[in-house]
Amino acid sequence: MMNRQSQKGGDGSTNFQTEQMVVHVGIDEKRAREVFQEMNLQLKREYTQEALDIANARVTEFENSLLPKMENVEGALEAFSDPSFQLLLADAQKTAAATERPADYDLLSELLIHRFKKGEDRVARAGISLAVDIIDKISDEALLGLTVAHSVSSFLPASGDIHLGLNTLNDLFGKIFYGILPSGQEWLDHLDILNTIRISSFGNLKKTQEYYSDVLSGYIDGGIEKNSENQTRAFEILDLNRLPRNILIEHSLNKDFLRIPVTNRAQIQNLVLQQVAHRDGAQVIIPVQLTNEQKNAIDSIYGIYSTDSNIKQNNISLFMDEWNKRDNLRVLKEWWDNIPTVISITSVGKVLAQSNAQRCDKNLPPLD
């Protein structure tokens, strides 16, 4: 889901040589480690000898998690020359020294990578700095609950195929469910104290069925009835706009209807045709971008979908049957539907949960 760029340390460096002097411009992996140790000297002064060995071991684990990740992101090592990044690094080292949870070293690394990618975005930087400060304070179950709640609101399948889309969600939560999901009110109060969520006493949290039927409405909306006047109209629109008729596929939840393979109507704007071509004796798939007129034509077909509420309700019921066939989604539904209050995730909570989710699944897209 996410493209990664890679650059080895030192690629951005330029060397100027005179008779006996070499000047290095830029930060390579060796210099980045030196900066890491220089910042760590400040930390060492704050501990007694008895605590120093433990602190050093933890900070070393953090270093060994951070540096390879920074090397693999183009230009990231240059951040070690940024004063504000160095201050954040020192705070991250303090947190690493204070936490006994091994996963936190990877989590801190993800936050610093995110800090580099956000550059001059001060709002993002503030959230990241506060997240770094609380990693050693947040409980295991609260962090897991926060990460799952963030994932529900942030990650949706891209596939217009209902079964593939649900499988994608099931696989995602299978990676994120690394512990026992929290229950009751205590974990929510804990997150509220840490300013990662806000609890509201007004309204009700949407249940799984209502929420996902809304955000994945393209899966459950009625569609075009087969052999009907609307199908004839839809085919005429496709033909007129030089679009293949197989854009309309059989509705997985209702064999008597056809649908456009999108997760929701808005995704029509992102549709791309797949064209088969032959090169050197092999078949290759070439993506073909749609014109605005073609996108509008497909959207107009969505506009003549059946609006029969009984058909839609039956689709929702069948959609949830498919949902419950998948173990992780069934667990998610039971957990989510029992959250006792309305919550909203703060900017601090989002960046912390996103970094933890990416620690679990490296292919997740970055936070906007």
mmCIF file with all atom_site columns, all heavy atoms in Angstrom, residues 36-53:
data_model
loop_
_atom_site.group_PDB
_atom_site.id
_atom_site.type_symbol
_atom_site.label_atom_id
_atom_site.label_alt_id
_atom_site.label_comp_id
_atom_site.label_asym_id
_atom_site.label_entity_id
_atom_site.label_seq_id
_atom_site.pdbx_PDB_ins_code
_atom_site.Cartn_x
_atom_site.Cartn_y
_atom_site.Cartn_z
_atom_site.occupancy
_atom_site.B_iso_or_equiv
_atom_site.pdbx_formal_charge
_atom_site.auth_seq_id
_atom_site.auth_comp_id
_atom_site.auth_asym_id
_atom_site.auth_atom_id
_atom_site.pdbx_PDB_model_num
ATOM 1   N N   . PHE A 1 36 ? 24.164 10.684 17.756 1.00 0.00 ? 36 PHE A N   1
ATOM 2   C CA  . PHE A 1 36 ? 23.338 9.948  18.708 1.00 0.00 ? 36 PHE A CA  1
ATOM 3   C C   . PHE A 1 36 ? 24.065 9.824  20.043 1.00 0.00 ? 36 PHE A C   1
ATOM 4   O O   . PHE A 1 36 ? 23.492 10.063 21.106 1.00 0.00 ? 36 PHE A O   1
ATOM 5   C CB  . PHE A 1 36 ? 23.007 8.563  18.146 1.00 0.00 ? 36 PHE A CB  1
ATOM 6   C CG  . PHE A 1 36 ? 21.975 7.797  18.943 1.00 0.00 ? 36 PHE A CG  1
ATOM 7   C CD1 . PHE A 1 36 ? 20.651 7.778  18.542 1.00 0.00 ? 36 PHE A CD1 1
ATOM 8   C CD2 . PHE A 1 36 ? 22.332 7.084  20.077 1.00 0.00 ? 36 PHE A CD2 1
ATOM 9   C CE1 . PHE A 1 36 ? 19.691 7.078  19.262 1.00 0.00 ? 36 PHE A CE1 1
ATOM 10  C CE2 . PHE A 1 36 ? 21.387 6.384  20.808 1.00 0.00 ? 36 PHE A CE2 1
ATOM 11  C CZ  . PHE A 1 36 ? 20.064 6.377  20.403 1.00 0.00 ? 36 PHE A CZ  1
ATOM 12  N N   . GLN A 1 37 ? 25.356 9.471  19.997 1.00 0.00 ? 37 GLN A N   1
ATOM 13  C CA  . GLN A 1 37 ? 26.132 9.291  21.221 1.00 0.00 ? 37 GLN A CA  1
ATOM 14  C C   . GLN A 1 37 ? 26.412 10.626 21.913 1.00 0.00 ? 37 GLN A C   1
ATOM 15  O O   . GLN A 1 37 ? 26.430 10.697 23.146 1.00 0.00 ? 37 GLN A O   1
ATOM 16  C CB  . GLN A 1 37 ? 27.442 8.561  20.906 1.00 0.00 ? 37 GLN A CB  1
ATOM 17  C CG  . GLN A 1 37 ? 27.260 7.112  20.487 1.00 0.00 ? 37 GLN A CG  1
ATOM 18  C CD  . GLN A 1 37 ? 26.481 6.310  21.519 1.00 0.00 ? 37 GLN A CD  1
ATOM 19  O OE1 . GLN A 1 37 ? 26.673 6.461  22.732 1.00 0.00 ? 37 GLN A OE1 1
ATOM 20  N NE2 . GLN A 1 37 ? 25.582 5.450  21.032 1.00 0.00 ? 37 GLN A NE2 1
ATOM 21  N N   . GLU A 1 38 ? 26.609 11.672 21.127 1.00 0.00 ? 38 GLU A N   1
ATOM 22  C CA  . GLU A 1 38 ? 26.832 12.992 21.719 1.00 0.00 ? 38 GLU A CA  1
ATOM 23  C C   . GLU A 1 38 ? 25.604 13.450 22.514 1.00 0.00 ? 38 GLU A C   1
ATOM 24  O O   . GLU A 1 38 ? 25.730 14.016 23.604 1.00 0.00 ? 38 GLU A O   1
ATOM 25  C CB  . GLU A 1 38 ? 27.165 14.006 20.624 1.00 0.00 ? 38 GLU A CB  1
ATOM 26  C CG  . GLU A 1 38 ? 28.563 13.818 20.026 1.00 0.00 ? 38 GLU A CG  1
ATOM 27  C CD  . GLU A 1 38 ? 28.763 14.630 18.750 1.00 0.00 ? 38 GLU A CD  1
ATOM 28  O OE1 . GLU A 1 38 ? 27.936 15.519 18.486 1.00 0.00 ? 38 GLU A OE1 1
ATOM 29  O OE2 . GLU A 1 38 ? 29.740 14.357 18.028 1.00 0.00 ? 38 GLU A OE2 1
ATOM 30  N N   . MET A 1 39 ? 24.421 13.225 21.939 1.00 0.00 ? 39 MET A N   1
ATOM 31  C CA  . MET A 1 39 ? 23.202 13.578 22.659 1.00 0.00 ? 39 MET A CA  1
ATOM 32  C C   . MET A 1 39 ? 23.016 12.684 23.885 1.00 0.00 ? 39 MET A C   1
ATOM 33  O O   . MET A 1 39 ? 22.511 13.118 24.927 1.00 0.00 ? 39 MET A O   1
ATOM 34  C CB  . MET A 1 39 ? 21.988 13.460 21.736 1.00 0.00 ? 39 MET A CB  1
ATOM 35  C CG  . MET A 1 39 ? 22.040 14.344 20.491 1.00 0.00 ? 39 MET A CG  1
ATOM 36  S SD  . MET A 1 39 ? 22.377 16.092 20.849 1.00 0.00 ? 39 MET A SD  1
ATOM 37  C CE  . MET A 1 39 ? 20.923 16.530 21.807 1.00 0.00 ? 39 MET A CE  1
ATOM 38  N N   . ASN A 1 40 ? 23.482 11.454 23.786 1.00 0.00 ? 40 ASN A N   1
ATOM 39  C CA  . ASN A 1 40 ? 23.333 10.511 24.890 1.00 0.00 ? 40 ASN A CA  1
ATOM 40  C C   . ASN A 1 40 ? 24.220 10.871 26.073 1.00 0.00 ? 40 ASN A C   1
ATOM 41  O O   . ASN A 1 40 ? 23.944 10.483 27.205 1.00 0.00 ? 40 ASN A O   1
ATOM 42  C CB  . ASN A 1 40 ? 23.655 9.088  24.398 1.00 0.00 ? 40 ASN A CB  1
ATOM 43  C CG  . ASN A 1 40 ? 23.204 8.014  25.377 1.00 0.00 ? 40 ASN A CG  1
ATOM 44  O OD1 . ASN A 1 40 ? 22.206 8.193  26.082 1.00 0.00 ? 40 ASN A OD1 1
ATOM 45  N ND2 . ASN A 1 40 ? 23.929 6.920  25.431 1.00 0.00 ? 40 ASN A ND2 1
ATOM 46  N N   . LEU A 1 41 ? 25.298 11.612 25.848 1.00 0.00 ? 41 LEU A N   1
ATOM 47  C CA  . LEU A 1 41 ? 26.169 12.043 26.946 1.00 0.00 ? 41 LEU A CA  1
ATOM 48  C C   . LEU A 1 41 ? 25.394 12.870 27.965 1.00 0.00 ? 41 LEU A C   1
ATOM 49  O O   . LEU A 1 41 ? 25.638 12.784 29.172 1.00 0.00 ? 41 LEU A O   1
ATOM 50  C CB  . LEU A 1 41 ? 27.348 12.855 26.402 1.00 0.00 ? 41 LEU A CB  1
ATOM 51  C CG  . LEU A 1 41 ? 28.438 12.066 25.672 1.00 0.00 ? 41 LEU A CG  1
ATOM 52  C CD1 . LEU A 1 41 ? 29.479 13.018 25.085 1.00 0.00 ? 41 LEU A CD1 1
ATOM 53  C CD2 . LEU A 1 41 ? 29.106 11.067 26.614 1.00 0.00 ? 41 LEU A CD2 1
ATOM 54  N N   . GLN A 1 42 ? 24.468 13.687 27.479 1.00 0.00 ? 42 GLN A N   1
ATOM 55  C CA  . GLN A 1 42 ? 23.648 14.492 28.378 1.00 0.00 ? 42 GLN A CA  1
ATOM 56  C C   . GLN A 1 42 ? 22.802 13.598 29.275 1.00 0.00 ? 42 GLN A C   1
ATOM 57  O O   . GLN A 1 42 ? 22.603 13.870 30.455 1.00 0.00 ? 42 GLN A O   1
ATOM 58  C CB  . GLN A 1 42 ? 22.735 15.415 27.572 1.00 0.00 ? 42 GLN A CB  1
ATOM 59  C CG  . GLN A 1 42 ? 23.481 16.357 26.633 1.00 0.00 ? 42 GLN A CG  1
ATOM 60  C CD  . GLN A 1 42 ? 22.517 17.172 25.793 1.00 0.00 ? 42 GLN A CD  1
ATOM 61  O OE1 . GLN A 1 42 ? 21.396 17.439 26.201 1.00 0.00 ? 42 GLN A OE1 1
ATOM 62  N NE2 . GLN A 1 42 ? 22.955 17.581 24.606 1.00 0.00 ? 42 GLN A NE2 1
ATOM 63  N N   . LEU A 1 43 ? 22.326 12.515 28.695 1.00 0.00 ? 43 LEU A N   1
ATOM 64  C CA  . LEU A 1 43 ? 21.473 11.590 29.421 1.00 0.00 ? 43 LEU A CA  1
ATOM 65  C C   . LEU A 1 43 ? 22.241 10.895 30.546 1.00 0.00 ? 43 LEU A C   1
ATOM 66  O O   . LEU A 1 43 ? 21.735 10.734 31.650 1.00 0.00 ? 43 LEU A O   1
ATOM 67  C CB  . LEU A 1 43 ? 20.905 10.554 28.449 1.00 0.00 ? 43 LEU A CB  1
ATOM 68  C CG  . LEU A 1 43 ? 19.969 9.493  29.012 1.00 0.00 ? 43 LEU A CG  1
ATOM 69  C CD1 . LEU A 1 43 ? 18.661 10.135 29.445 1.00 0.00 ? 43 LEU A CD1 1
ATOM 70  C CD2 . LEU A 1 43 ? 19.700 8.412  27.973 1.00 0.00 ? 43 LEU A CD2 1
ATOM 71  N N   . LYS A 1 44 ? 23.490 10.532 30.268 1.00 0.00 ? 44 LYS A N   1
ATOM 72  C CA  . LYS A 1 44 ? 24.276 9.743  31.219 1.00 0.00 ? 44 LYS A CA  1
ATOM 73  C C   . LYS A 1 44 ? 24.524 10.501 32.520 1.00 0.00 ? 44 LYS A C   1
ATOM 74  O O   . LYS A 1 44 ? 24.703 9.890  33.578 1.00 0.00 ? 44 LYS A O   1
ATOM 75  C CB  . LYS A 1 44 ? 25.599 9.329  30.584 1.00 0.00 ? 44 LYS A CB  1
ATOM 76  C CG  . LYS A 1 44 ? 25.434 8.318  29.452 1.00 0.00 ? 44 LYS A CG  1
ATOM 77  C CD  . LYS A 1 44 ? 26.772 7.923  28.843 1.00 0.00 ? 44 LYS A CD  1
ATOM 78  C CE  . LYS A 1 44 ? 26.580 6.879  27.749 1.00 0.00 ? 44 LYS A CE  1
ATOM 79  N NZ  . LYS A 1 44 ? 27.861 6.476  27.121 1.00 0.00 ? 44 LYS A NZ  1
ATOM 80  N N   . ARG A 1 45 ? 24.536 11.819 32.448 1.00 0.00 ? 45 ARG A N   1
ATOM 81  C CA  . ARG A 1 45 ? 24.805 12.616 33.643 1.00 0.00 ? 45 ARG A CA  1
ATOM 82  C C   . ARG A 1 45 ? 23.641 12.571 34.630 1.00 0.00 ? 45 ARG A C   1
ATOM 83  O O   . ARG A 1 45 ? 23.790 12.956 35.790 1.00 0.00 ? 45 ARG A O   1
ATOM 84  C CB  . ARG A 1 45 ? 25.078 14.069 33.250 1.00 0.00 ? 45 ARG A CB  1
ATOM 85  C CG  . ARG A 1 45 ? 26.277 14.240 32.324 1.00 0.00 ? 45 ARG A CG  1
ATOM 86  C CD  . ARG A 1 45 ? 26.624 15.720 32.160 1.00 0.00 ? 45 ARG A CD  1
ATOM 87  N NE  . ARG A 1 45 ? 27.634 15.912 31.116 1.00 0.00 ? 45 ARG A NE  1
ATOM 88  C CZ  . ARG A 1 45 ? 27.371 16.326 29.888 1.00 0.00 ? 45 ARG A CZ  1
ATOM 89  N NH1 . ARG A 1 45 ? 26.115 16.604 29.555 1.00 0.00 ? 45 ARG A NH1 1
ATOM 90  N NH2 . ARG A 1 45 ? 28.328 16.483 29.002 1.00 0.00 ? 45 ARG A NH2 1
ATOM 91  N N   . GLU A 1 46 ? 22.471 12.116 34.172 1.00 0.00 ? 46 GLU A N   1
ATOM 92  C CA  . GLU A 1 46 ? 21.272 12.148 35.005 1.00 0.00 ? 46 GLU A CA  1
ATOM 93  C C   . GLU A 1 46 ? 21.053 10.864 35.801 1.00 0.00 ? 46 GLU A C   1
ATOM 94  O O   . GLU A 1 46 ? 20.095 10.776 36.572 1.00 0.00 ? 46 GLU A O   1
ATOM 95  C CB  . GLU A 1 46 ? 20.050 12.424 34.130 1.00 0.00 ? 46 GLU A CB  1
ATOM 96  C CG  . GLU A 1 46 ? 20.128 13.756 33.395 1.00 0.00 ? 46 GLU A CG  1
ATOM 97  C CD  . GLU A 1 46 ? 18.893 14.028 32.551 1.00 0.00 ? 46 GLU A CD  1
ATOM 98  O OE1 . GLU A 1 46 ? 17.870 13.366 32.798 1.00 0.00 ? 46 GLU A OE1 1
ATOM 99  O OE2 . GLU A 1 46 ? 18.960 14.894 31.659 1.00 0.00 ? 46 GLU A OE2 1
ATOM 100 N N   . TYR A 1 47 ? 21.910 9.855  35.629 1.00 0.00 ? 47 TYR A N   1
ATOM 101 C CA  . TYR A 1 47 ? 21.708 8.565  36.284 1.00 0.00 ? 47 TYR A CA  1
ATOM 102 C C   . TYR A 1 47 ? 22.860 8.223  37.213 1.00 0.00 ? 47 TYR A C   1
ATOM 103 O O   . TYR A 1 47 ? 24.013 8.587  36.966 1.00 0.00 ? 47 TYR A O   1
ATOM 104 C CB  . TYR A 1 47 ? 21.545 7.451  35.248 1.00 0.00 ? 47 TYR A CB  1
ATOM 105 C CG  . TYR A 1 47 ? 20.304 7.595  34.401 1.00 0.00 ? 47 TYR A CG  1
ATOM 106 C CD1 . TYR A 1 47 ? 20.363 8.181  33.136 1.00 0.00 ? 47 TYR A CD1 1
ATOM 107 C CD2 . TYR A 1 47 ? 19.069 7.179  34.872 1.00 0.00 ? 47 TYR A CD2 1
ATOM 108 C CE1 . TYR A 1 47 ? 19.221 8.336  32.366 1.00 0.00 ? 47 TYR A CE1 1
ATOM 109 C CE2 . TYR A 1 47 ? 17.917 7.330  34.109 1.00 0.00 ? 47 TYR A CE2 1
ATOM 110 C CZ  . TYR A 1 47 ? 18.012 7.913  32.858 1.00 0.00 ? 47 TYR A CZ  1
ATOM 111 O OH  . TYR A 1 47 ? 16.890 8.073  32.106 1.00 0.00 ? 47 TYR A OH  1
ATOM 112 N N   . THR A 1 48 ? 22.521 7.494  38.275 1.00 0.00 ? 48 THR A N   1
ATOM 113 C CA  . THR A 1 48 ? 23.566 6.943  39.126 1.00 0.00 ? 48 THR A CA  1
ATOM 114 C C   . THR A 1 48 ? 24.221 5.775  38.401 1.00 0.00 ? 48 THR A C   1
ATOM 115 O O   . THR A 1 48 ? 23.691 5.258  37.415 1.00 0.00 ? 48 THR A O   1
ATOM 116 C CB  . THR A 1 48 ? 22.966 6.440  40.452 1.00 0.00 ? 48 THR A CB  1
ATOM 117 O OG1 . THR A 1 48 ? 22.085 5.336  40.168 1.00 0.00 ? 48 THR A OG1 1
ATOM 118 C CG2 . THR A 1 48 ? 22.182 7.546  41.155 1.00 0.00 ? 48 THR A CG2 1
ATOM 119 N N   . GLN A 1 49 ? 25.360 5.348  38.893 1.00 0.00 ? 49 GLN A N   1
ATOM 120 C CA  . GLN A 1 49 ? 26.075 4.254  38.250 1.00 0.00 ? 49 GLN A CA  1
ATOM 121 C C   . GLN A 1 49 ? 25.228 2.992  38.216 1.00 0.00 ? 49 GLN A C   1
ATOM 122 O O   . GLN A 1 49 ? 25.263 2.222  37.257 1.00 0.00 ? 49 GLN A O   1
ATOM 123 C CB  . GLN A 1 49 ? 27.394 3.981  38.976 1.00 0.00 ? 49 GLN A CB  1
ATOM 124 C CG  . GLN A 1 49 ? 28.293 2.960  38.286 1.00 0.00 ? 49 GLN A CG  1
ATOM 125 C CD  . GLN A 1 49 ? 28.660 3.390  36.869 1.00 0.00 ? 49 GLN A CD  1
ATOM 126 O OE1 . GLN A 1 49 ? 29.052 4.532  36.651 1.00 0.00 ? 49 GLN A OE1 1
ATOM 127 N NE2 . GLN A 1 49 ? 28.523 2.488  35.908 1.00 0.00 ? 49 GLN A NE2 1
ATOM 128 N N   . GLU A 1 50 ? 24.404 2.787  39.286 1.00 0.00 ? 50 GLU A N   1
ATOM 129 C CA  . GLU A 1 50 ? 23.585 1.580  39.347 1.00 0.00 ? 50 GLU A CA  1
ATOM 130 C C   . GLU A 1 50 ? 22.547 1.551  38.218 1.00 0.00 ? 50 GLU A C   1
ATOM 131 O O   . GLU A 1 50 ? 22.239 0.490  37.682 1.00 0.00 ? 50 GLU A O   1
ATOM 132 C CB  . GLU A 1 50 ? 22.852 1.493  40.704 1.00 0.00 ? 50 GLU A CB  1
ATOM 133 C CG  . GLU A 1 50 ? 23.769 1.266  41.894 1.00 0.00 ? 50 GLU A CG  1
ATOM 134 C CD  . GLU A 1 50 ? 24.406 2.568  42.399 1.00 0.00 ? 50 GLU A CD  1
ATOM 135 O OE1 . GLU A 1 50 ? 24.152 3.642  41.797 1.00 0.00 ? 50 GLU A OE1 1
ATOM 136 O OE2 . GLU A 1 50 ? 25.159 2.500  43.371 1.00 0.00 ? 50 GLU A OE2 1
ATOM 137 N N   . ALA A 1 51 ? 22.030 2.711  37.873 1.00 0.00 ? 51 ALA A N   1
ATOM 138 C CA  . ALA A 1 51 ? 20.993 2.769  36.840 1.00 0.00 ? 51 ALA A CA  1
ATOM 139 C C   . ALA A 1 51 ? 21.571 2.920  35.445 1.00 0.00 ? 51 ALA A C   1
ATOM 140 O O   . ALA A 1 51 ? 20.887 2.644  34.457 1.00 0.00 ? 51 ALA A O   1
ATOM 141 C CB  . ALA A 1 51 ? 20.046 3.933  37.124 1.00 0.00 ? 51 ALA A CB  1
ATOM 142 N N   . LEU A 1 52 ? 22.836 3.330  35.366 1.00 0.00 ? 52 LEU A N   1
ATOM 143 C CA  . LEU A 1 52 ? 23.418 3.673  34.070 1.00 0.00 ? 52 LEU A CA  1
ATOM 144 C C   . LEU A 1 52 ? 23.509 2.487  33.125 1.00 0.00 ? 52 LEU A C   1
ATOM 145 O O   . LEU A 1 52 ? 23.253 2.616  31.920 1.00 0.00 ? 52 LEU A O   1
ATOM 146 C CB  . LEU A 1 52 ? 24.802 4.303  34.268 1.00 0.00 ? 52 LEU A CB  1
ATOM 147 C CG  . LEU A 1 52 ? 25.450 4.925  33.040 1.00 0.00 ? 52 LEU A CG  1
ATOM 148 C CD1 . LEU A 1 52 ? 24.546 5.998  32.438 1.00 0.00 ? 52 LEU A CD1 1
ATOM 149 C CD2 . LEU A 1 52 ? 26.812 5.520  33.398 1.00 0.00 ? 52 LEU A CD2 1
ATOM 150 N N   . ASP A 1 53 ? 23.876 1.330  33.654 1.00 0.00 ? 53 ASP A N   1
ATOM 151 C CA  . ASP A 1 53 ? 24.019 0.152  32.788 1.00 0.00 ? 53 ASP A CA  1
ATOM 152 C C   . ASP A 1 53 ? 22.692 -0.217 32.132 1.00 0.00 ? 53 ASP A C   1
ATOM 153 O O   . ASP A 1 53 ? 22.647 -0.536 30.935 1.00 0.00 ? 53 ASP A O   1
ATOM 154 C CB  . ASP A 1 53 ? 24.553 -1.039 33.602 1.00 0.00 ? 53 ASP A CB  1
ATOM 155 C CG  . ASP A 1 53 ? 26.007 -0.867 33.992 1.00 0.00 ? 53 ASP A CG  1
ATOM 156 O OD1 . ASP A 1 53 ? 26.688 -0.014 33.391 1.00 0.00 ? 53 ASP A OD1 1
ATOM 157 O OD2 . ASP A 1 53 ? 26.462 -1.579 34.914 1.00 0.00 ? 53 ASP A OD2 1
#
